[in-house]
Amino acid sequence: MTDNRQGTPEERRKQRFFNKSAATSVKYLRKIDELPHKPASLDPFLNILKHVFVDMQGAVKPAGTLSVGTYCVMVPPELIYAAGAMPVKLCGGSYTAFNIGDDIAPRDACPLVKAVMGFESIGVMPVYRECELMAVPITCDCKKKLAGYLSERRKTVTLHVPTGRSRDGDMEHYVKELYQFSEELTKITGKPLSYERLSWACGLTAAAQYELSRFIELRRRAPLVIKGTHYLAALNALSYTHVSIWTQYMRALCDETERRIQNGEMASKENRPRILVTGSPIVFPNFKLPLLIEEMGGALVADETCMGERGAYDPPAIADQTTDGIMRALANKSTRPCTCPTFTDNKRRVYRIMQMLEDYGVQGVIYHVLRGCLVYDYEYRVLEEEMGKLGIPIIRVESDYNEEDVEQLRIRVEAFIELIKYGRGGDTAVRLRKGQR
Amino acid sequence: MKKKVIGKILFAAFAAALCAGAYFAADITFFQFGGEEYQETGAALFTSEWFSAMLPFGLILLVSAVCIALDVLLRKLLYKKKKLPVGKTGITARDKRKKRFVFGFETVRWGVMILSFALLIYGGRLFGTVFTNVQLPVFACPYNLEQLTNAGCYYFSHLDVLFSESWQAILAFFGTFLVCAVLLGRVLCGFVCPMGFLQDVAHEARQALHIEGISLNEKMYAVLRLVKWVMLIIFLGVGFIGGNFCDFCPAAAVSPALAGFKLSLGLGGFIMVIVLVSGFFKRRCFCNVCPLGFILGLTHKLSLFKLKKNAVACTECGACYEACPMGIKSIFTEREGKDIKKLDVTTSDCIMCGECVRRCPENNALAITFCGKKIYNADRMKFMKQYAPKPDKYAPFRGKDKP
Ligand code: SF4
Ligand code: SF4
Ligand code: SF4
Ligand code: SF4
Ligand code: SF4
């Protein structure tokens, strides 16, 4: 580390930021690394996170590829790849950046958006700096204001997401938004939209989703074969990697997982309570919740969060092989299956979670709410009711981007895991899983 | 408000014109060929006689192709002038990316369609008319006297003729119809009907050329439904008031010609052009207004083929709706019911083409069942295989894949 007393105050501040945020990232990377039963093929993913958050380098991509910052899974990456650029998901998880953003955003804003604003205002992280364009879908209120904040500083496109999905007009509206977005992309890359490019880009992401689906199938067969935290890290890495590179890594991970299942090597013991995490996004380095679950003797078998599996889960179903057909498929897959709570009607999220309970034999649900994330908090009650009917225990844990609440979280998570271990929950899950097979 | 009134008036005018056209169809002839008398046997294949019988159909294909080309050109001009979004200007495109072949329900369906197309046209030559009493309710025109079976469309559109037949004939007609409708229902549309086959071929041609089509939404499907009612009334009723549905039936231009039967073309030829062009831009457009298909669908509650949905597995991604040629939205929106894991989402419009299951990315979310047994089930890995390249072709930066 360089001497802090050199340079202007501004430079010193930036240097302090670098040091501090790198230190947090190193700590969490080490914790992830030290979790037992780490597959060897996970290292490339962790190296990506290290590359971006410790070495402070840009996204992992072939030389000369432009980056486009996206702030939600509803921006279809296919469109960006088709324009010859790559998407970087910039939802922030940094505690250091959060502290800076805390002075910019109102007190009750969510920490994720505060972290993004912090990154933007200090302006040193290469992943953020190198983005030629920012794409912000207008989902929750914080994202809306974030879009305004960003557009004062950077070239920003907003995508107006419909709030409902039952009318055909909603989807057609999003198709128009995507066309506009694509025009903006063309302006920065100089490559116009064409069927050939779109189809090529869809092939690129389809390869990644093929490997991801393979992994999901494997995990449905043996939910305990990998630690959920490791899996989350692999999916977080996708946000900062060109998809073709990620696909290769994922393929290796699938192959290793397949071997492990064959040899019966599991990452957790059979008697560990199987936990599903859902709720607000879990963004590296804010990995305290998944780490706590596994440290406290739970097995994180499934996650339903935007930087986790859901981030790359829904594939476009191209029924009409034309430019417009693909655009429609992209608009469709970005909005309709999305379980984001910013939509007015979101029954599908409950169903999705019910399906996951069955697929992974989940015994308890931990509902993660970032302080100030209203929409997710709203949906807790709905989910609690449904889980009550199924007899699956659920708790809501609220956290912020700092390490002060770790001990308190630890107590709650531990109590919850004990409750499942020695109390109710167990047989329901067994019943659910048996019912399916 | 005003728009709505004008729309209604336009629609009424259209319906009236259609009815009038139906009535006077026999008098409007744009292509007279051969005599009005029945030809007893079809011409041998590839003889000059056969070619002359094929001429009308060839003309129809030619006119359709010209229409499509004109439409594409016109749209290109329009888009350029209006400076519409970039994507819209790429009306045609080539795609060098090779798709992976995945064997599935789709393959079987195409096999059956081609086979039944051939059998319905040439089957009689090979095996003689085997099922004389079977009135298969599809548009395989019985003007082709050498069919394997009879086609039910004739009696449906000539109920007056039917009711003057002997009671045995009437019974045989309704009997075979009921058996077909209950056993198969609109599976006949998805697998057997030659008109359906031709429309699917037109659709595949568009897919190969990557020409942009017309995607319909709820409102437009509602209009098509109205057209269907008009068609139904004409189809069933025109015989009673002295008209003849066959005079403007599009199907008359196809199977008789292919089998070598000379037939004069009336309005039917025009309508066939419409069927082909609209089927090119919108998959199975005619099936959406087809009266015979509608009648076949009435018994869907009794049919042994069912479309089942597991609402829990479904993510409501809408892919099935997007893929469905019949625009059935309920398969995507249906989510409540007695057993949410086994919802019956079959509707009278469903032709059991399996497109929705093919495009469904969730395991077990949709399935076609026969007698309660799943015969085609949605499968995520199979779904992904349709789109992903083979794993050994992943590295895109060295290959020539890079655009
Ligand atoms: S939670 Fe909603 S707004 Fe946030 S990234 Fe996910 S889909 Fe987007
Ligand atoms: S012309 Fe049409 S309705 Fe008449 S018999 Fe032939 S196919 Fe059937
Ligand atoms: S709807 Fe009519 S034209 Fe279409 S396949 Fe069925 S019977 Fe044939
Ligand atoms: S395609 Fe499958 S998952 Fe998507 S809405 Fe239809 S049934 Fe549901
Ligand atoms: S619901 Fe499915 S099987 Fe029925 S017509 Fe639509 S796509 Fe075909």
Side-chain angles (χ1 to χ4, degrees):
Chain A
M1 309 262 156
T2 38
D3 191 347
N4 272 351
R5 275 161 305 180
Q6 274 170 6
T8 62
E10 188 55 26
E11 271 169 12
R12 286 213 300 275
R13 194 169 149 246
K14 286 184 176 169
Q15 195 55 46
R16 270 206 306 280
F17 175 84
F18 261 153
N19 295 346
K20 241 175 120 182
S21 68
T24 324
S25 305
V26 165
K27 185 171 140 197
Y28 279 95
L29 267 179
R30 206 189 52 233
K31 280 195 179 181
I32 297 170
D33 198 50
E34 281 170 358
L35 267 187
H37 304 288
K38 187 187 64 151
S41 44
L42 192 78
D43 287 334
F45 296 109
L46 297 184
N47 284 339
I48 293 167
L49 293 177
K50 181 163 169 284
H51 179 85
V52 174
F53 290 101
V54 180
D55 305 341
M56 302 292 177
Q57 304 290 317
V60 182
K61 58 188 177 182
T65 316
L66 296 178
S67 294
V68 173
T70 67
Y71 288 90
C72 169
V73 297
M74 281 186 252
V75 185
E78 289 83 356
L79 211 51
I80 300 172
Y81 284 116
M86 76 162 275
V88 184
K89 254 191 266 160
L90 291 180
C91 291
S94 161
Y95 301 159
T96 328
F98 160 77
N99 281 330
I100 301 169
D102 215 7
D103 300 331
I104 308 169
R107 196 196 62 206
D108 288 340
C110 85
L112 189 149
V113 161
K114 280 182 188 167
V116 173
M117 287 184 171
F119 275 131
E120 190 51 52
S121 96
I122 189 132
V124 288
M125 287 280 285
V127 254
Y128 282 78
R129 294 285 303 281
E130 69 186 4
C131 286
E132 297 284 327
L133 184 71
M134 297 291 190
V136 194
I138 305 300
T139 51
C140 59
D141 283 354
C142 287
K143 287 257 167 88
K144 195 184 282 163
K145 298 316 284 180
L146 173 69
Y149 178 81
L150 283 176
S151 61
E152 283 167 17
R153 276 141 249 266
R154 305 289 285 267
K155 209 164 158 354
T156 307
V157 211
T158 51
L159 288 127
H160 295 268
V161 178
T163 45
R165 290 166 285 192
S166 48
R167 285 172 303 190
D168 286 0
D170 294 333
M171 205 271 282
E172 279 164 7
H173 163 84
Y174 204 61
V175 175
K176 282 197 201 112
E177 293 289 312
L178 290 188
Y179 271 119
Q180 270 166 27
F181 178 42
S182 139
E183 273 177 60
E184 293 298 324
L185 285 170
T186 305
K187 276 186 204 150
I188 63 159
T189 63
K191 292 184 183 158
L193 183 68
S194 72
Y195 176 75
E196 244 174 316
R197 282 177 175 289
L198 263 180
S199 158
W200 170 80
C202 287
L204 213 60
T205 51
Q209 284 177 321
Y210 177 77
E211 293 302 333
L212 181 67
S213 308
R214 223 181 110 203
F215 189 87
I216 293 172
E217 292 293 330
L218 287 171
R219 199 147 178 248
R220 279 178 185 155
R221 247 164 60 203
L224 297 175
V225 75
I226 190 170
K227 294 254 185 220
T229 315
H230 287 150
Y231 182 43
L232 257 180
L235 279 158
N236 258 265
L238 170 63
S239 309
Y240 317 103
T241 324
H242 194 283
V243 69
S244 62
I245 300 170
W246 189 83
T247 309
Q248 316 271 9
Y249 295 165
M250 196 65 197
R251 194 175 169 208
L253 185 62
C254 285
D255 290 343
E256 188 178 345
T257 312
E258 208 161 14
R259 267 198 310 278
R260 282 185 171 217
I261 293 180
Q262 264 162 19
N263 301 340
E265 289 170 45
M266 293 295 137
S268 311
K269 282 200 212 77
E270 198 50 54
N271 63 356
R272 287 193 159 200
R274 300 153 185 247
I275 308 284
L276 175 143
V277 161
T278 180
S280 307
I282 295 173
V283 192
F284 183 84
N286 179 34
F287 261 43
K288 55 189 173 189
L289 185 64
L291 280 166
L292 270 179
I293 294 172
E294 298 203 276
E295 282 164 12
M296 294 291 96
L300 181 56
V301 288
D303 78 271
E304 203 269 335
T305 59
C306 274
M307 289 294 270
E309 190 175 287
R310 193 210 282 169
Y313 183 78
D314 295 304
I318 304 161
D320 183 14
Q321 291 162 28
T322 63
T323 318
D324 200 44
I326 297 186
M327 290 300 262
R328 285 176 68 90
L330 291 180
N332 230 337
K333 78 112 188 184
S334 309
T335 53
R336 275 180 172 159
C338 189
T339 49
C340 180
T342 53
F343 291 103
T344 44
D345 160 73
N346 211 15
K347 180 96 189 220
R348 61 198 74 189
R349 175 142 182 253
V350 176
Y351 279 170
R352 175 100 191 89
I353 291 172
M354 273 160 68
Q355 182 65 30
M356 291 178 99
L357 299 183
E358 214 178 70
D359 284 345
Y360 301 103
V362 174
Q363 292 167 302
V365 177
I366 294 186
Y367 199 93
H368 175 228
V369 178
L370 285 176
R371 227 199 78 206
C373 181
L374 270 182
V375 274
Y376 272 110
D377 220 355
Y378 262 111
E379 285 199 352
Y380 171 70
R381 195 193 49 78
V382 184
L383 199 64
E384 191 184 28
E385 212 168 84
E386 293 292 332
M387 292 301 111
K389 281 185 210 155
L390 292 172
I392 297 273
I394 176 170
I395 52 162
R396 167 184 176 281
V397 296
E398 185 174 304
S399 86
D400 212 339
Y401 277 10
N402 56 46
E403 293 188 312
E404 284 142 31
D405 56 7
V406 172
E407 282 317 307
Q408 191 209 342
L409 277 181
R410 186 191 302 276
I411 295 167
R412 299 207 55 204
V413 170
E414 189 173 14
F416 184 66
I417 288 170
E418 299 281 296
L419 167 87
I420 298 171
K421 223 173 185 169
Y422 304 109
R424 65 204 182 94
D427 18 297
T428 319
V430 171
R431 203 186 62 224
L432 270 174
R433 207 167 151 74
K434 280 217 178 104
Q436 181 220 1
R437 309 274 137 144
Chain B
M1 268 335 267
K2 234 184 190 169
K3 244 186 180 170
K4 260 191 189 161
V5 176
I6 293 174
K8 267 184 194 156
I9 293 172
L10 274 180
F11 185 76
F14 168 74
L18 208 62
C19 291
Y23 193 75
F24 297 111
D27 304 327
I28 314 169
T29 321
F30 81 101
F31 186 89
Q32 189 84 33
F33 214 96
E36 287 296 319
E37 295 301 311
Y38 270 156
Q39 203 181 323
E40 290 297 331
T41 50
L45 289 192
F46 304 114
T47 56
S48 59
E49 231 179 307
W50 183 77
F51 277 113
S52 70
M54 274 290 285
L55 202 59
F57 187 56
L59 268 179
I60 288 172
L61 286 182
L62 194 74
V63 174
S64 308
V66 171
C67 282
I68 290 165
L70 274 179
D71 177 283
V72 169
L73 275 176
L74 207 74
R75 266 159 76 187
K76 230 174 192 163
L77 274 177
L78 263 178
Y79 284 141
K80 227 181 225 159
K81 229 187 201 159
K82 277 205 184 156
K83 288 216 170 63
L84 274 152
V86 270
K88 288 278 189 186
T89 51
I91 296 227
T92 48
R94 283 181 311 126
D95 188 16
K96 281 179 252 130
R97 200 160 69 86
K98 279 220 175 64
K99 292 272 157 60
R100 208 157 150 181
F101 173 75
V102 187
F103 182 89
F105 188 80
E106 187 61 15
T107 331
V108 175
R109 191 172 77 90
W110 274 97
V112 175
M113 270 202 302
I114 293 169
L115 195 73
S116 55
F117 188 72
L119 278 181
L120 280 173
I121 291 170
Y122 304 112
R125 273 191 199 178
L126 299 174
F127 311 109
T129 310
V130 188
F131 312 104
T132 31
N133 277 330
V134 175
Q135 313 268 344
L136 206 61
V138 290
F139 274 122
C141 188
Y143 273 111
N144 168 7
L145 290 178
E146 294 182 334
Q147 297 231 63
L148 208 54
T149 74
N150 275 320
C153 58
Y154 181 76
Y155 275 140
F156 264 121
S157 57
H158 299 77
L159 287 175
D160 51 325
V161 180
L162 175 70
F163 291 137
S164 59
E165 299 271 345
S166 65
W167 64 269
Q168 287 100 329
I170 298 178
L171 211 67
F173 171 76
F174 280 110
T176 48
F177 171 75
L178 263 183
V179 170
C180 282
V182 171
L183 274 181
L184 298 164
R186 289 194 88 171
V187 171
L188 285 173
C189 294
F191 285 76
V192 178
C193 178
M195 286 288 280
F197 172 71
L198 283 180
Q199 291 176 74
D200 269 355
V201 170
H203 170 80
E204 284 307 317
R206 183 167 72 82
Q207 295 301 302
L209 295 167
H210 307 297
I211 296 174
E212 268 167 30
I214 299 165
S215 0
L216 301 191
N217 59 19
E218 292 161 300
K219 282 182 203 138
M220 298 193 246
Y221 277 118
V223 174
L224 283 186
R225 211 165 300 130
L226 283 178
V227 176
K228 184 171 74 186
W229 289 118
V230 176
M231 292 283 286
L232 186 71
I233 292 168
I234 296 174
F235 182 65
L236 292 178
V238 80
F240 290 108
I241 51 167
N244 185 354
F245 184 79
C246 295
D247 282 336
F248 71 110
C249 170
V254 188
S255 46
L258 283 169
F261 284 83
K262 283 184 192 168
L263 204 64
S264 63
L265 281 186
L267 218 57
F270 275 123
I271 297 187
M272 191 63 207
V273 172
I274 298 176
V275 169
L276 282 178
V277 175
S278 64
F280 182 85
F281 288 109
K282 154 80 190 103
R283 186 171 195 179
R284 294 246 181 177
C285 188
F286 178 73
C287 290
N288 275 282
V289 298
C290 171
L292 187 58
F294 172 77
I295 298 173
L296 257 180
L298 287 177
T299 52
H300 76 273
K301 282 247 151 51
L302 303 172
S303 169
L304 297 176
F305 286 89
K306 286 263 148 68
L307 193 61
K308 286 277 163 69
K309 169 171 167 176
N310 178 344
V312 178
C314 166
T315 55
E316 289 175 46
C317 67
C320 45
Y321 175 41
E322 191 67 19
C324 178
M326 305 301 286
I328 301 168
K329 195 174 178 180
S330 59
I331 34 169
F332 138 60
T333 51
E334 202 78 50
R335 54 153 83 134
E336 315 282 0
K338 244 200 300 177
D339 184 359
I340 47 172
K341 288 191 181 170
K342 276 199 201 88
L343 289 177
D344 182 3
V345 286
T346 331
T347 63
S348 62
D349 287 332
C350 177
I351 58 173
M352 290 295 159
C353 63
E355 280 301 298
C356 50
V357 186
R358 178 175 170 212
R359 303 299 184 194
C360 175
E362 296 305 318
N363 287 341
N364 308 320
L366 273 184
I368 292 182
T369 62
F370 176 67
C371 298
K373 280 224 171 59
K374 282 185 183 178
I375 52 171
Y376 184 31
N377 201 358
D379 181 319
R380 191 176 175 89
M381 287 317 279
K382 264 209 196 119
F383 171 92
M384 286 315 313
K385 267 193 198 146
Q386 299 174 70
Y387 299 111
K390 284 219 175 85
D392 52 351
K393 301 225 165 58
Y394 277 175
F397 292 109
R398 268 155 272 133
K400 42 185 173 7
D401 235 1
K402 199 180 176 192

